[in-house]
Amino acid sequence: MTTAAPRPSAPARPRPSAPARPDDSHPTTARPAAPAPVLLGIDLGGTKIAGIAIDRLSGRTLAHMRVPTPRDDYAGTLAAIGDLATRLEQAARIAPTGIAQTGIAPTGIAPTGMLPIGIGIPGAISPKTGLVKNANSLWLNDRPLDRDLAAASGRAVRLANDANCLAVSEASDGAAAGAGVVFAVILGTGVGGGIAIQGRVHHGADAIAGEWGHVPMPWAQPWSRTAGAALPPDADRVPELPGPACYCGRSGCIETLLSGPGLAGDAARLRGQDEASALACRSAEAVIADARQGDEMAIAAIMRWRHRLGRAFAMVINLLDPDAIVIGGGLSQVPELMDAITCDPTPLIGPWLFSDRVRTPVVVARHGDDSGVRGAARLWDVAR
């Protein structure tokens, strides 16, 4: 067998230096000298703030707490996170001075004597400005959240998008443990996406890697239904053009179709409601309940939702070809939505895939609602 001659290396091209990025590779305060034995994580949601303390090596949960989010109150949000971190540290039997009462050496303690915190947020820190961008918790946008939290709490802080935290968690010790490239999605009130490579967050050049929720639904179907019109014969298809309005200012984003409110709005449109009424429908739970009672329009909306999810995942696989796709968020707990694509993804994904097979497994997050906050804690697992 002959061996191909080595290819000449391409001439080196000068690369512009990248601007400093305020992401998890650049902690806001001094980096601990060694990994902390206990990791603290915070998941900043729109209605609740979840916190967790886990053992770094075993992943065992040492403390878990939730408090309401002070909506539209930035100063109150800073105070709530700082207080929650203190309570978690105390509950995990780590003294405020950093001396472990459990006999664990206090390695990795911040210069202030307190453990660092990792925080998942529904947005990202802009590499351009150092301020929060793209958060649907609007009071966080255009704020230096990481620096303000560090100043208010006296702790070292790392921030990441909540879907990126989900990806890190499930790649570390969850449903995608051991997978090299993990694409994680949050399907709930909104639609988020994040990427972990070898267990670490992949942010991308502008901190938007994985943001599939704000691209158009691929292979959009042309069927539509106006108020009062008869149900189209292909009711398992999606009325997608031009698509519902999105808070980002565009129309037809994946989030407007695959989120919980997107499912509810689609069912309302099939019932003949006008667009304003459909956009006011927010309860996916009601659609699921109606479908379980045999309601034809609710069942049709779920069938279309599955069809959309298959196309959206095919787009992701065509671009990223991940080793696993992990689904989190409230909709991941609904068997009517998940079973078809997790048991055998080929019928829903295969027709749209630029390949001869569907090899990427689609799985539900192992850690459920705790996955994001566990991933936030892992942002300080510098050994990974």
Side-chain angles (χ1 to χ4, degrees):
M1 181 175 66
T2 59
T3 303
R7 298 176 61 185
S9 58
R13 294 195 297 178
R15 298 180 61 186
S17 59
R21 297 178 53 186
D23 58 20
D24 73 324
S25 62
H26 294 274
T28 303
T29 56
R31 181 190 300 272
V38 174
L39 303 173
L40 301 184
I42 302 288
D43 184 14
L44 176 53
T47 59
K48 69 178 183 300
I49 304 173
I52 200 168
I54 62 174
D55 181 90
R56 184 180 70 84
L57 295 179
S58 70
R60 181 170 62 94
T61 298
L62 305 175
H64 189 285
M65 302 176 187
R66 291 183 180 181
V67 298
T69 300
R71 290 187 60 83
D72 302 314
D73 182 353
Y74 184 70
T77 299
L78 297 179
I81 292 174
D83 178 67
L84 184 57
T86 298
R87 291 166 55 200
L88 286 166
E89 188 167 344
Q90 292 171 345
R93 301 182 63 80
I94 303 295
T97 58
I99 300 174
Q101 296 175 350
T102 55
I104 304 172
T107 56
I109 306 302
T112 57
M114 295 185 289
L115 292 171
I117 50 176
I119 303 175
I121 66 172
I125 296 292
S126 167
K128 178 181 178 181
T129 65
L131 309 178
V132 174
K133 65 176 181 178
N134 300 338
N136 54 13
S137 297
L138 300 179
W139 70 96
L140 302 177
N141 285 323
D142 301 317
R143 302 274 197 168
L145 181 60
D146 52 351
R147 286 170 280 161
D148 286 345
L149 280 171
S153 68
R155 298 174 184 271
V157 173
R158 281 180 171 173
L159 295 184
N161 177 266
D162 50 8
N164 285 332
C165 292
L166 171 65
V168 168
S169 172
E170 294 298 319
S172 297
D173 59 2
V181 179
V182 175
F183 184 76
V185 304
I186 296 176
L187 298 174
T189 304
V191 171
I195 301 170
I197 300 176
Q198 304 303 331
R200 291 180 175 270
V201 173
H202 175 68
H203 294 276
D206 206 29
I208 57 171
E211 286 290 2
W212 73 317
H214 293 281
V215 298
M217 176 60 66
W219 302 286
Q221 303 300 308
W223 294 271
S224 62
R225 178 174 188 242
T226 58
L231 182 71
D234 29 36
D236 60 326
R237 299 288 184 171
V238 185
E240 291 173 349
L241 301 176
C246 183
Y247 80 89
C248 73
R250 300 174 180 86
S251 296
C253 292
I254 284 175
E255 177 164 316
T256 69
L257 299 169
L258 286 181
S259 64
L263 173 62
D266 194 47
R269 292 182 192 92
L270 282 179
R271 299 183 196 281
Q273 297 184 26
D274 60 28
E275 190 63 16
S277 299
L279 289 174
C281 293
R282 308 285 294 176
S283 176
E285 292 85 355
V287 177
I288 301 302
D290 288 345
R292 289 171 179 170
Q293 296 298 317
D295 182 87
E296 180 183 356
M297 295 301 99
I299 293 172
I302 288 173
M303 293 172 67
R304 286 193 306 280
W305 189 95
R306 294 174 185 166
H307 194 272
R308 290 170 170 151
L309 186 65
R311 284 182 279 137
F313 279 172
M315 175 193 67
V316 170
I317 296 173
N318 282 339
L319 289 171
L320 187 62
D321 200 12
D323 297 301
I325 294 176
V326 181
I327 307 175
L331 297 186
S332 71
Q333 303 304 306
V334 180
E336 289 88 345
L337 301 179
M338 293 294 106
D339 286 355
I341 201 158
T342 56
C343 293
D344 181 9
T346 298
L348 290 172
I349 295 177
W352 314 98
L353 201 62
F354 191 59
S355 183
D356 56 357
R357 63 175 178 176
V358 179
R359 192 178 184 185
T360 300
V362 179
V363 295
V364 172
R366 173 186 174 188
H367 296 299
D369 288 343
D370 286 341
S371 199
V373 71
R374 290 176 64 88
R378 291 286 183 190
L379 295 177
W380 275 108
D381 190 0
V382 296
R384 297 191 63 81

